Amino acid sequence: MVKIIGIDPGMAETGIGIVWGHENRIDGYAHGTVYTQKSDSHGKRLQEIYTRILKVIQDETPDLMVVEEVFSLSRYPKSGIHLGKVMGVVLLASCQEGVPAVEVPVREVKQVLTGNGNASKEQVELSVRHQLKSPAPFRPFHISDALGLALIGLFRYRTLKAF
């Protein structure tokens, strides 16, 4: 059995999804979100994300972490910078605990989970819910995105662990 953590990084909300099983067999899952306060400094927010991710890694002892690759929209260049900072603390926590981490582009996540690289958040969430046989929707979408990343890690574990 392997355990995979998926991380959907965000300064305000970082989604965490954990899936365990073997290849295409899913034995269980868990999820959560790290929320930070907009009124706090960036340093304090990054510290909160780092501390919570580190604790999850220590408690769950995953075999692999899969993180959504940072992207930036030309309309919102600062968002990409903030995401890069969050990605830095997530990868630092992973490295400090000796957990290999891989980054997967969002279009690839959508393609693998739905068959459409341009799928909506709703389509991704529906696919994740179907895979995990969850009757209830996952909200916020950061949770379904993180669980989707963890699913990709589980399905591709043999090839991804080489990174």
Side-chain angles (χ1 to χ4, degrees):
M1 183 181 79
V2 295
K3 187 180 283 187
I4 312 296
I5 292 184
I7 302 289
D8 181 29
M11 186 67 82
E13 298 176 359
T14 293
I16 302 170
I18 305 167
V19 175
W20 54 93
H22 182 71
E23 294 181 356
N24 290 334
R25 187 188 78 226
I26 302 162
D27 294 331
Y29 67 93
H31 57 80
T33 305
V34 179
Y35 294 99
T36 65
Q37 299 298 316
K38 192 173 186 176
S39 58
D40 288 340
S41 70
H42 282 163
K44 186 171 182 181
R45 294 171 83 182
L46 291 168
Q47 181 183 27
E48 177 67 20
I49 295 165
Y50 169 79
T51 302
R52 294 278 306 281
I53 297 293
L54 188 65
K55 175 121 178 67
V56 168
I57 292 169
Q58 291 168 343
D59 290 349
E60 297 296 332
T61 61
D63 298 289
L64 179 70
M65 179 183 285
V66 181
V67 185
E68 185 176 282
E69 190 175 82
V70 173
F71 65 93
S72 181
L73 301 173
S74 57
R75 293 182 300 196
Y76 307 106
K78 284 188 178 181
S79 293
I81 293 168
H82 293 313
L83 280 176
K85 292 175 182 179
V86 173
M87 177 69 85
V89 299
V90 167
L91 294 175
L92 176 61
S94 174
C95 182
Q96 283 188 328
E97 292 302 311
V99 175
V102 294
E103 299 173 45
V104 179
V106 68
R107 280 188 184 273
E108 184 176 339
V109 173
K110 292 176 178 185
Q111 180 67 41
V112 169
L113 294 174
T114 71
N116 176 3
N118 294 314
S120 68
K121 290 230 178 244
E122 291 83 2
Q123 290 170 311
V124 170
E125 187 275 334
L126 188 61
S127 176
V128 168
R129 189 176 355 146
H130 174 75
Q131 289 283 336
L132 297 176
K133 298 175 177 56
S134 173
F138 295 109
R139 296 293 188 273
F141 286 122
H142 295 292
I143 291 172
S144 56
D145 291 349
L147 285 166
L149 289 157
L151 285 169
I152 290 171
L154 180 66
F155 299 154
R156 296 181 171 179
Y157 179 69
R158 289 179 187 225
T159 56
L160 290 176
K161 72 178 183 177
F163 290 94

